[in-house]
Amino acid sequence: MHDNEVVEVRNLIKRFGDFAALDNVSFKVCKGEIFGLIGPNGAGKTTTLRILATLLLPTMGYARVLGYDVVREADKVRSKISYLAEDAGTYRNLTGYEYLSIVARIYFGSLAEAEDAVEEAVKISGLGERVTEKMKTYSKGMKRRIQVARALMTKPKMAILDEPTSGLDVFHAQHVRGIIKEHVEKDGAVILSSHNMLEVEHLCSQVALIYRGQIMIEGNPQEIKEEYGATNLEEAFLEAAGKWET
Amino acid sequence: MGNLKPLVEKEVKDLLRDPRIYIGLLIPILMLPLIGFAMSVAVRSATEAAMKEMKVAVLDQDGTETSGNLISILTRMGLNMPKVSANSLDRAIGEARTLESKALLIIPERFEENLLSFGKVSVKVYSIVDSVGLGSEGAYAAIDGALETASEILSTMLISKLAPNVEPDVVRNPLNVTRYTIIKDRTIKVSPRVLLGQLVIGYGIMVPMILFILAITVTQIAATATAVENEEKTLETLLTFPVTRYDILMAKLLGSSIVAILGAVLFTAGFLLYFEGLFSLPGMEIGVGAVFHALPPPPLETYTLLALSLILSILFITSLGVVIGALSSDVRMSGSLLGVVIIPVLIPSMLIMYGDLKSLPLAFQLFTYVLPTSYPMIMAKEMIISTIPIEVIYGIPYSAALTLIVLYATSKLLAPEKLLTLQYRLRLRRTKSRRAKDLE
């Protein structure tokens, strides 16, 4: 694994019974990159991210995060990453502040560091005074913002974000995109998935179009558009999927 | 411990603020004393109302001075005794009913003659039941008491007539028995029947019942806490934190146990307040606990073994609760799966509470000894009257080994790969059985 590489995925296969969710997937993510996995529902985006987050075991192939094997060195991987699940819920009876504080104390050894992280998270969430209210009173968007804040406050070397702007209105989606960009500028890396190809086009430095468990194309959004003579990634994806089918 | 503390804090805060949990914890402390108080008030007022005008109709077929004396004795003892003069039993009962009497007393012909010639005298009492409340029972007991006292007065009169220099009580009760019970090295001036009665209520039923409630509460809380993680989709995130599966499990066990112990304390307080209300009822002032002060205190090692077996039992049963919760996609499903664990715990608890384990068939004994939850109950039941039960001495290392295996297996289960597969299989089975039922 190259020094600059944060994620290395090689020939990854994941089967659920007879169904192949991932079929020989390979890609790399480098430091300072926002890597986007895009594709339709059931393409294998979430399965890939769950394997990287040590939640699922690959059937074959391997994946490394910051040089650590996601199966054999799962504990070390977990200490370096932060994972935001697509449908991540919240603890209804805790306040946003309490939740952030508990997570910060898990990640940071010193109380001062944990407090700084919580302050940062409160800013990221943009919840203001409502952060001290119980999370059961939050809207879907507010819950998502607290989860994004939770995922990024720990300043992970590698943030794995499954549909980070899902459920957010246009203002808050823009705010979260800004936070993600800021995160990679501070020496972090992000791998994210999205249905929203236009969002990915503007946010990601590298993308992989995944379809039926296989990566169809991988590269810089501009290069991909040029390769398929498309005006945006959505068109490029449809063109590529059509060719793939034939 | 570094990571465990915030995780336990999360568990306790989230559980104690959950209405599904705190309402369950508060119900015993609020409801049981209220039930006890309501029962006490209802019974007391019903008894007072019944005793206020205790009417016993009397059919005096003898009509002599002695039968008149009997009626005046009973009247002096607070009974209101209107006379009826029917010539058949049915009519006499009808008249007694019309007079709203609690009973009909029939003094037969030749009452005086038989009594004074030291023959057997029969009087008949027909109790008329028009209410089945506890208060009515008090009224009938009072009528019986009055008749017994009247009988004693008449016997005193007869004995004095036969032998004026003899103390009538000596003739009636020639044996004056003072009862002592020896427990271990202590001799207590109380009959074994009274002592054992109180021990059965105290150590035989109340303590195992509290331990049983604790076991059920802790399992339910652990299962709910874990199922909520599935339902609210928080478990997946939790499992990506830099904490070991063991830390997550221990936090669930400790959090659930803390809340369950609080629940058990509230339940016990509620239960004691309930009894406080109940035992203040007329005729029920049996003074539970009075005998315990006279008993030798259980030795320290029995408390140590009780605590040890209780901790192991809680860890074991809470792990099972976590397994149930982890396998359930929501709280409702965990509730239905909980029965699978509760029933096997319930049966041995009942056997321990109400029976003598050693006299049961071997299969029942083995079933009881297999569960670590049985040992604190056995210990609690036996700790005051015997030495440490041998089965508890062997049961503790067995429980420790089994609990470690269950803890290890549970921590291994807390992996999404396994959970997703097991949850999927469980859902599939439920769907299949539902379809089969629909087809039927």
Side-chain angles (χ1 to χ4, degrees), chain B residues 112-317:
Chain B
E112 185 183 69
E113 188 186 327
N114 286 340
L115 190 74
L116 296 180
S117 59
F118 304 102
K120 192 76 181 169
V121 176
S122 296
V123 292
K124 288 178 182 166
V125 181
Y126 291 86
S127 297
I128 302 165
V129 176
D130 50 10
S131 155
V132 289
L134 274 173
S136 310
E137 193 272 336
Y140 298 115
I143 294 171
D144 284 347
L147 282 166
E148 272 170 32
T149 312
S151 179
E152 272 179 29
I153 292 168
L154 288 173
S155 96
T156 305
M157 191 186 84
L158 291 172
I159 293 165
S160 303
K161 194 176 174 187
L162 274 176
N165 300 325
V166 173
E167 180 62 44
D169 195 46
V170 174
V171 178
R172 266 201 307 273
N173 298 304
L175 288 180
N176 186 14
V177 182
T178 308
R179 291 175 176 85
Y180 296 90
T181 306
I182 300 166
I183 278 197
K184 289 189 177 175
D185 56 349
R186 185 108 20 135
T187 305
I188 305 159
K189 196 176 174 183
V190 67
S191 87
R193 199 168 53 85
V194 172
L195 180 75
L196 289 173
Q198 294 202 5
L199 285 177
V200 166
I201 292 174
Y203 280 81
I205 295 176
M206 268 186 69
V207 175
M209 186 188 280
I210 288 161
L211 295 176
F212 171 71
I213 296 287
L214 179 65
I216 299 301
T217 315
V218 81
T219 320
Q220 195 176 19
I221 289 172
T224 307
T226 318
V228 164
E229 297 262 15
N230 274 330
E231 192 174 281
E232 303 283 343
K233 313 265 187 216
T234 48
L235 188 61
E236 195 177 342
T237 304
L238 185 63
L239 291 170
T240 61
F241 288 167
V243 289
T244 63
R245 304 298 192 244
Y246 180 76
D247 279 343
I248 294 172
L249 176 64
M250 285 314 287
K252 287 253 172 270
L253 301 186
L254 288 173
S256 304
S257 302
I258 290 168
V259 175
I261 288 167
L262 180 68
V265 169
L266 292 175
F267 175 81
T268 310
F271 208 56
L272 290 175
L273 289 170
Y274 165 78
F275 273 107
E276 187 85 3
L278 204 64
F279 284 124
S280 66
L281 290 174
M284 290 188 79
E285 301 92 339
I286 60 168
V288 170
V291 167
F292 291 91
H293 296 299
L295 286 174
L300 189 66
E301 57 266 29
T302 60
Y303 284 112
T304 312
L305 284 178
L306 178 67
L308 201 59
S309 59
L310 190 60
I311 290 167
L312 289 169
S313 153
I314 287 176
L315 283 176
F316 170 78
I317 196 88

Side-chain angles (χ1 to χ4, degrees), chain A residues 121-193:
Chain A
V122 172
K123 277 185 210 152
I124 294 173
S125 73
L127 286 173
E129 290 298 310
R130 291 211 61 187
V131 80
T132 55
E133 290 176 22
K134 282 187 188 162
M135 290 193 280
K136 66 181 169 192
T137 64
Y138 289 5
S139 67
K140 196 180 166 192
M142 289 165 78
K143 285 178 185 169
R144 195 68 185 155
R145 278 150 62 196
I146 204 91
Q147 283 296 351
V148 171
R150 185 272 303 161
L152 296 178
M153 75 171 178
T154 58
K155 299 183 177 62
K157 296 271 182 211
M158 178 74 215
I160 302 167
L161 311 175
D162 197 354
E163 304 279 354
T165 56
S166 143
L168 293 182
D169 60 43
V170 67
F171 300 107
H172 289 112
Q174 189 63 32
H175 172 71
V176 166
R177 282 183 213 122
I179 299 289
I180 293 171
K181 278 183 181 166
E182 260 179 49
H183 177 72
V184 290
E185 281 163 14
K186 291 175 190 165
D187 210 23
V190 172
I191 179 166
L192 58 85
S193 77

Side-chain angles (χ1 to χ4, degrees), chain B residues 252-406:
Chain B
K252 287 253 172 270
L253 301 186
L254 288 173
S256 304
S257 302
I258 290 168
V259 175
I261 288 167
L262 180 68
V265 169
L266 292 175
F267 175 81
T268 310
F271 208 56
L272 290 175
L273 289 170
Y274 165 78
F275 273 107
E276 187 85 3
L278 204 64
F279 284 124
S280 66
L281 290 174
M284 290 188 79
E285 301 92 339
I286 60 168
V288 170
V291 167
F292 291 91
H293 296 299
L295 286 174
L300 189 66
E301 57 266 29
T302 60
Y303 284 112
T304 312
L305 284 178
L306 178 67
L308 201 59
S309 59
L310 190 60
I311 290 167
L312 289 169
S313 153
I314 287 176
L315 283 176
F316 170 78
I317 196 88
T318 317
S319 300
L320 293 186
V322 171
V323 172
I324 289 170
L327 293 178
S328 310
S329 48
D330 52 46
V331 175
R332 216 172 60 174
M333 190 175 172
S334 86
S336 43
L337 285 176
L338 211 58
V340 179
V341 167
I342 286 177
I343 290 168
V345 175
L346 178 75
I347 296 168
S349 305
M350 293 296 149
L351 294 176
I352 295 165
M353 271 190 252
Y354 298 109
D356 182 5
L357 258 185
K358 284 169 188 156
S359 63
L360 290 171
L362 187 64
F364 280 101
Q365 286 189 41
L366 288 175
F367 182 49
T368 306
Y369 293 136
V370 157
L371 289 170
T373 45
S374 301
Y375 295 101
M377 294 187 195
I378 297 172
M379 190 69 226
K381 193 176 175 183
E382 302 289 328
M383 66 192 286
I384 230 170
I385 52 168
S386 72
T387 52
I388 297 161
I390 190 82
E391 58 267 38
V392 174
I393 293 171
Y394 287 116
I396 284 177
Y398 159 76
S399 300
L402 186 67
T403 304
L404 278 176
I405 292 169
V406 172

Side-chain angles (χ1 to χ4, degrees), chain B residues 29-48:
Chain B
I29 188 75
L30 296 175
M31 293 306 291
L32 286 174
L34 270 179
I35 293 169
F37 177 72
M39 277 179 71
S40 166
V41 168
V43 173
R44 198 182 294 275
S45 60
T47 308
E48 278 168 9

Side-chain angles (χ1 to χ4, degrees), chain A residues 14 50 57 91 98 105, chain B residues 9 17 229 236 417:
Chain A
K14 178 65 185 176
R50 278 179 165 173
L57 301 173
Y91 295 95
E98 282 171 337
R105 277 156 57 204
Chain B
E9 185 188 320
R17 291 173 186 172
E229 297 262 15
E236 195 177 342
E417 180 83 27

